[in-house]
Amino acid sequence: MACPPWPKGKKLVHLDLKGAPPRVEYLHKLIELFSELGVNGLLVEYEDMFPYEGELKLLQATTHPAYSHEEVLSVQEFAKSKGIEVIPLVQTFGHMEFVLKHQPMWGLREVPYCVGTLNPHKEEGVRLVMEMVRQVVKLHPGLSTLHIGADEVYILGEGKESKQWLDSRGRTVEQLFLSHVTKVAKAIKEAWPHMTIIMWDDMMRAMNQDILKDSGLVGLIQPMLWDYTPNLDVDKTVSLLEKYCSAGMPDLWVASSFKGSTSVYTCVTSTQRHVDNHLQWLKVAASLSPGINLQGIAITGWQRYDHLSVLCELMPVALPSLASCLQTLSHGQFHDEAQKEVTERLGISSVEVEGMGRASAGDLLFPGRKLAELIVELNSLLNSEDIRLFENNMFVRGWFSPYHRQRKMVTPLITMQIQSQASTFLAALQQKVDAMREEMVRLYPDSTAQEWIEEHVSPVMSPLQRITEDIGACVKEMVP
């Protein structure tokens, strides 16, 4: 059953730069594609890629250079020329791993073992957050909207000062959360009275509307409710949005996902999963009461679950998913016509990146197409049973067990066959890895290629390399 198309408001694509930050030339190509696909806003989570200065310079990435001032401005100017607004996202409470991991900032953690959550009682913490915001706003001339994060504030209330604060009669962790966010939002409004402030909603989901009404947040922020699951609960989501509205916050955003939300280490995107998420969001939008003023949807593309976790899928393998999600929103369903628009625009034979086929020379290429093809091919080879289960095959278990390796007593004829098979697999993998690395460093920093290979390739190649070396050593002992 089709829904009406997505009602109104902005369609933002989320650029998560806390891993695999695209080179600026590639960013320009992506922005061009986004604008052709009907996107009119970018939600940019810079994290350690922002060129922080002064006492905050230590927040800049060290594995690769942060973007320069000129690059940050050039991306905004290019986006603007394509009719795309840039909305920066600066975390101000939870997910501050990229700040609080640095030793000079350790004292600002809520508890020593949680690197993500800021201690809300220290003036120094609020000052730090405001300095981050000030530098980001300054480098975004004419900025009108800012996202202050505030999702997943884990372990809040567990710190020594929080426990003292909570000892006062009737104080709750909910109030502790709200008081910090309100303080930050007020400070931003004082400095930039016309700024629209967005924040993630998850920490407010369990709060009743009276607590929200009394928090001081009403009129200061616009909540953004996120849910990335393919089976999103429509009724529950609608009633949450209605709750925020009746608490006095009728200006609301929602957030879906086109990549980076399947599992923490996924490396190839499933389009259908993300289309299903958008079909559920269409049902939500169609069920809202007229009092709700839907500001827009942010289509998130996470690059890591948090600053210290591994890489999720890279942008090129997720572009068919993004295009499909946007078509789903504009048609209200993902029927044949919508799929055809995706395959024709991107020059692919299937909306699933794994089935899109190899490009022929004359094809309309989407930016990063070649890298997407190489990742899909390499991923399929890495996951083939012959390679993955090599150590479990009959010959390795029967003639080259740990027992044999230790005693260096083997049957040379069979072990040399094992060695030859392992070497063949290694050569095939190496060839694909080299081609992929060469393509990846054109779009991403060298460190991204290195990390991707260490995460996905090394764990599969290492056992094969060990077997070939061990067999070599054993055969030496047995063959004159």
Side-chain angles (χ1 to χ4, degrees), residues 97-395:
E97 291 90 353
F98 84 104
V99 178
L100 301 176
K101 71 177 184 180
H102 296 286
Q103 199 159 1
M105 312 287 187
W106 285 4
L108 297 176
R109 297 177 187 175
E110 168 74 341
V111 292
Y113 57 86
C114 177
V115 189
T117 299
L118 187 73
N119 176 338
H121 306 279
K122 286 198 159 69
E123 274 311 310
E124 180 56 24
V126 178
R127 204 180 65 73
L128 166 80
V129 161
M130 286 308 296
E131 179 55 25
M132 286 162 60
V133 168
R134 192 191 65 75
Q135 292 195 21
V136 169
V137 173
K138 187 179 167 197
L139 201 50
H140 290 74
L143 186 67
S144 60
T145 307
L146 177 72
H147 196 308
I148 59 167
D151 57 321
E152 299 182 330
V153 187
Y154 298 129
I155 317 288
L156 183 61
E158 298 291 316
K160 197 169 76 190
E161 287 159 286
S162 287
K163 284 184 169 157
Q164 285 169 352
W165 189 88
L166 290 165
D167 275 345
S168 288
R169 211 177 66 212
R171 282 182 174 171
T172 63
V173 174
E174 293 180 342
Q175 289 168 333
L176 180 57
F177 171 79
L178 292 167
S179 66
H180 174 78
V181 179
T182 305
K183 192 188 290 183
V184 170
K186 277 186 173 149
I188 292 171
K189 284 285 194 191
E190 271 165 36
W192 304 279
H194 303 298
M195 192 71 76
T196 297
I197 304 171
I198 302 173
M199 66 178 265
W200 298 118
D201 82 302
D202 53 286
M203 295 296 292
M204 302 188 287
R205 284 180 199 171
M207 299 181 190
N208 71 44
Q209 61 193 49
D210 295 334
I211 289 179
L212 291 171
K213 266 183 195 155
D214 300 342
S215 66
L217 264 189
V218 174
L220 283 178
I221 60 102
Q222 300 179 352
M224 182 179 270
L225 193 158
W226 58 272
D227 192 322
Y228 312 141
T229 53
N231 55 353
L232 175 160
D233 185 327
V234 174
D235 295 339
K236 203 167 147 191
T237 307
V238 168
S239 63
L240 257 177
L241 288 163
E242 299 286 356
K243 176 183 82 176
Y244 296 141
C245 181
S246 44
M249 299 185 274
D251 295 333
L252 293 162
W253 297 76
V254 300
S256 58
S257 167
F258 73 96
K259 80 176 189 79
S261 57
T262 302
S263 80
V264 67
Y265 48 78
T266 301
C267 75
V268 174
T269 308
S270 151
T271 294
Q272 189 61 53
R273 178 190 171 87
H274 297 288
V275 164
D276 288 344
N277 174 239
H278 286 78
L279 290 169
Q280 295 300 91
W281 272 117
L282 283 163
K283 291 179 196 165
V284 170
S287 315
L288 296 176
S289 65
I292 288 183
N293 186 8
L294 203 53
Q295 299 293 305
I297 183 167
I299 307 174
T300 63
W302 299 96
Q303 197 50 78
R304 300 186 193 280
Y305 274 31
D306 68 44
H307 180 79
L308 297 167
S309 64
V310 296
L311 291 170
C312 303
E313 316 99 294
L314 299 184
M315 188 63 87
V317 292
L319 290 174
S321 166
L322 176 62
S324 301
C325 294
L326 285 159
Q327 281 299 334
T328 303
L329 292 178
S330 35
H331 287 276
Q333 56 180 318
F334 197 48
H335 48 28
D336 293 350
E337 189 191 332
Q339 294 189 38
K340 189 163 169 260
E341 285 181 31
V342 173
T343 53
E344 285 183 359
R345 170 59 196 84
L346 299 185
I348 53 184
S349 50
S350 156
V351 296
E352 291 293 350
V353 69
E354 285 186 285
M356 70 177 178
R358 282 220 103 156
S360 57
D363 268 349
L364 255 180
L365 291 186
F366 64 80
R369 164 80 183 255
K370 191 174 174 197
L371 179 58
E373 285 174 4
L374 291 165
I375 287 176
V376 165
E377 287 171 17
L378 178 55
N379 184 57
S380 149
L381 190 57
L382 288 168
N383 285 305
S384 66
E385 289 205 344
D386 288 349
I387 289 182
R388 267 222 180 259
L389 304 177
F390 190 82
E391 286 183 289
N392 278 331
N393 80 34
M394 179 183 102
F395 295 102

